[in-house]
Amino acid sequence: MEITLKLKSLRTRMKECGLDAYVITGADPHGSEYPPESWRTRRWISGFTGSAGTVALTSDRAGLWTDFRYWIQAADELSGSGIELFREGAEGVKTLPEYLAANLPAGSVVGIDGRSITEKTACEWEALFQRAGIALKDDADLIDGLWNDRPGLPEAQITELDAEISGESRKEKISRLKKALTSAGADVWIGTGLDSAAWLLNVRGADVPYNPVVVGYLLLLPERLTWFTVLERIPHKVRDSLLKDGIGLEPYESFYEELSRIPSELRILADTASLSRTLMKSLPKGAVLRMGADPVVSMKAVKNAVEIRRISGAMEKDGAAMVRFLIRLKRKIADGASLTEIEAADLLRSCRAEMPGYLGDSFSYIPAFQSHGAICHYEAKEEGAFVLKSGSDLFLIDSGGQWDDGTTDITRTVSLGIPSSRQREDYTLVLKAHITVAAARFPQGTRGYQIDALARGGLWRRGLDYGHGTGHGIGYRLNVHEGPQKLSPHPIDVALVPGMIVSDEPGLYREGEYGIRIENLVLCGEMEKTAFGTFLGFKTLTLAPYDRTLIDIGMLEEDEISWIDAYHDEVYMRLKFLLNQDESEWLYEATRPLTESV
């Protein structure tokens, strides 16, 4: 069905239901960044393929609100659809609820599927709407009747991680969770996050592209933890292991009914930032709620010794694959070969596949040549993909792998010829910001937004900035993006603690010309204790060289040069054993001290 016809049909349904506006978040009941196919309602109604954005329809207008990362992409994908682009965060652009409150008359009703909005967000919208005399109807699933071929629940097979791989048994994790509940004064925990369930149960699946998770809910009562999922796809060995550890297994569809049976005397820990409006309304009337953050999210974010050791091994394999890719790419281009962005991504994927323990991609690669590099989350397609060629143009590739040993995420920007002076200046400014994070020392209790400001300082002094966060958490054989920690301008009140892994990825984007981003993963750890307290810092985990041709050494301080040389030395020493002689020699030249000519 064409988008214009979908909008027309949806407006007919809105009128039948007495709705003056309808909101489609594209979210699933689990708060997934990348939801299962059956919940990709935003993409279905609009054609927009980005991972963040919200669509709203009124009787005569339709709009998509999305952030800086997708402004260019959204403008292209929405062209001719009848859906306007609202650049969320841009000066003078109202947020979606502000827009509806300002443009709908008093007495209007806004509809939304309550499973696709958190309780916290729903309450915020209601408070704003109430002042405008607008009501929010949160039980309106209008998409289901229109999306005739809507996929059902995924049923991919499930695997189990033993303690040698996970570093902690599920019984030990559940014991820690129960202690956290007691500390919070609660008896009941409701787990909706798919990666939280995978982590707690030490299972992995393939229900969502790139994210090895399993669709399901968890409910922890004093006597038992129950997992609600598609039972038929659980292998007998995994089923027996779960039952042996006291894990109850129930059908996915029975979850909401089970919620209503929670004994009224039990205290329920409610994280309204993650639990949906529908879920909260399904709890027994008069239920005793203890408001607080989901403890599993924080537990999962702090990697144990086994996870850290194995992730370090994954970085070596991933780094060797990246080196092979850079060698092959640069030689092909120098020899006059033509590769599209998609073919370049396939080349890197094949280099990863040559290494033992490679399971697949951790997200959809971003291979962006020339002006496509200015689209932060660009997705290359056969139609419109640029052809890489030699010259002064830049190629940015953001990619990652799922390995037996962990999850990786790396971005490198390289020159495919002789870079311009401005390209070298921009690259070096981004590299300096990148080093500022990697080399930072900060007191215990520091939040991610404070580190984010450190990264941007040098760019700000030149009137430059980038529209995305500086870093995100990353899972262990799990989602490439995880919380609660972030290096972001948003004042997220989560302290960085030893064992957390975050990305370090500042950037600089010149629309219509090129984009530059440099990304490594870094591990937070304790550095020293002084009379002024405990100080933390980062250890860089990712192993791959920077492009020396893009570095303006005259812009670097001595300590920055020393940092790059030390990092490059580690890259060479740890990767050379995974490379053949020719590759090792190339890497040796790529990682020589900056003061030495190449």
Side-chain angles (χ1 to χ4, degrees), residues 300 303 311 406-408 473-482:
K300 173 170 56 67
K303 307 310 186 244
I311 289 170
T407 304
T408 64
I474 190 165
Y476 170 68
R477 285 189 63 168
L478 266 176
N479 297 0
V480 76
H481 296 148
E482 75 169 19

Side-chain angles (χ1 to χ4, degrees), residues 284-532:
K285 293 188 182 300
V288 179
L289 303 181
R290 292 286 184 265
M291 301 301 177
D294 183 342
V296 171
V297 174
S298 297
M299 291 163 58
K300 173 170 56 67
V302 179
K303 307 310 186 244
N304 61 47
V306 171
E307 292 171 326
I308 292 170
R309 174 176 55 79
R310 291 178 64 86
I311 289 170
S312 295
M315 295 298 173
E316 292 178 350
K317 296 175 185 176
D318 203 73
M322 193 72 189
V323 167
R324 285 195 178 123
F325 165 72
L326 292 173
I327 294 171
R328 295 173 188 179
L329 175 70
K330 292 210 169 195
R331 287 179 177 172
K332 283 177 180 288
I333 297 301
D335 290 342
S338 296
L339 282 82
T340 66
E341 293 166 321
I342 294 173
E343 289 170 335
D346 288 341
L347 177 61
L348 175 52
R349 190 174 289 110
S350 68
C351 290
R352 283 194 168 104
E354 292 174 8
M355 302 298 296
Y358 175 66
L359 304 176
D361 302 342
S362 60
F363 60 96
S364 180
Y365 287 11
I366 303 172
F369 186 52
Q370 296 173 328
S371 60
H372 283 166
I375 306 172
C376 290
H377 279 204
Y378 168 70
E379 184 173 353
K381 299 175 182 177
E382 291 289 349
E383 183 180 353
F386 287 167
V387 176
L388 278 63
K389 56 187 177 182
S390 180
S392 61
D393 295 306
L394 302 183
F395 177 56
L396 181 157
I397 184 156
D398 189 344
S399 69
Q402 296 285 7
W403 301 84
D404 278 336
D405 294 330
T407 304
T408 64
D409 184 4
I410 176 175
T411 307
R412 287 294 183 267
T413 304
V414 297
S415 172
L416 298 183
I418 301 174
S420 68
S421 58
R422 189 173 72 159
Q423 288 173 341
R424 296 181 73 235
E425 178 180 333
D426 284 350
Y427 181 92
T428 307
L429 286 171
V430 173
L431 181 58
K432 287 167 72 72
H434 174 82
I435 295 170
T436 297
V437 174
R441 294 292 181 269
F442 45 92
Q444 189 172 339
T446 296
R447 270 59 176 165
Y449 60 86
Q450 295 169 298
I451 304 298
D452 180 88
L454 290 179
R456 297 175 194 269
L459 293 168
W460 286 346
R461 284 192 291 272
R462 294 173 179 252
L464 304 170
D465 201 2
Y466 48 96
H468 56 78
T470 300
H472 57 82
I474 190 165
Y476 170 68
R477 285 189 63 168
L478 266 176
N479 297 0
V480 76
H481 296 148
E482 75 169 19
Q485 76 279 16
K486 286 184 179 180
L487 308 185
S488 164
H490 301 292
I492 299 169
D493 191 21
V494 174
L496 296 167
V497 300
M500 285 182 170
I501 295 176
V502 294
S503 64
D504 169 11
E505 51 178 310
L508 185 57
Y509 309 93
R510 296 193 182 275
E511 187 172 346
E513 298 183 53
Y514 56 81
I516 295 168
R517 186 163 65 252
I518 304 171
E519 177 186 16
N520 284 343
L521 300 184
V522 296
L523 170 69
C524 182
E526 184 178 315
M527 294 300 167
E528 63 177 336
K529 291 184 178 180
T530 74
F532 297 92

Side-chain angles (χ1 to χ4, degrees), residues 81-97:
S81 69
I83 300 175
E84 302 173 54
L85 172 61
F86 289 79
R87 291 175 169 80
E88 200 169 45
E91 187 175 351
V93 176
K94 288 182 171 65
T95 66
L96 187 152

Side-chain angles (χ1 to χ4, degrees), residues 170 174 178 197 200-201 216-221 223-231 234 238-252 254-255 258:
R170 67 170 68 96
I174 294 168
K178 289 180 176 179
L200 189 65
L201 298 179
Y217 294 99
L218 287 174
L219 178 61
L220 177 63
L221 298 174
E223 70 278 3
R224 194 175 206 190
L225 174 65
T226 303
W227 190 22
F228 299 81
T229 188
V230 179
L231 301 180
I234 304 177
V238 177
R239 180 191 293 264
D240 292 343
S241 177
L242 291 165
L243 293 174
K244 180 182 177 182
D245 285 338
I247 310 299
L249 300 173
E250 296 292 342
Y252 182 84
S254 66
F255 172 69
E258 197 65 30

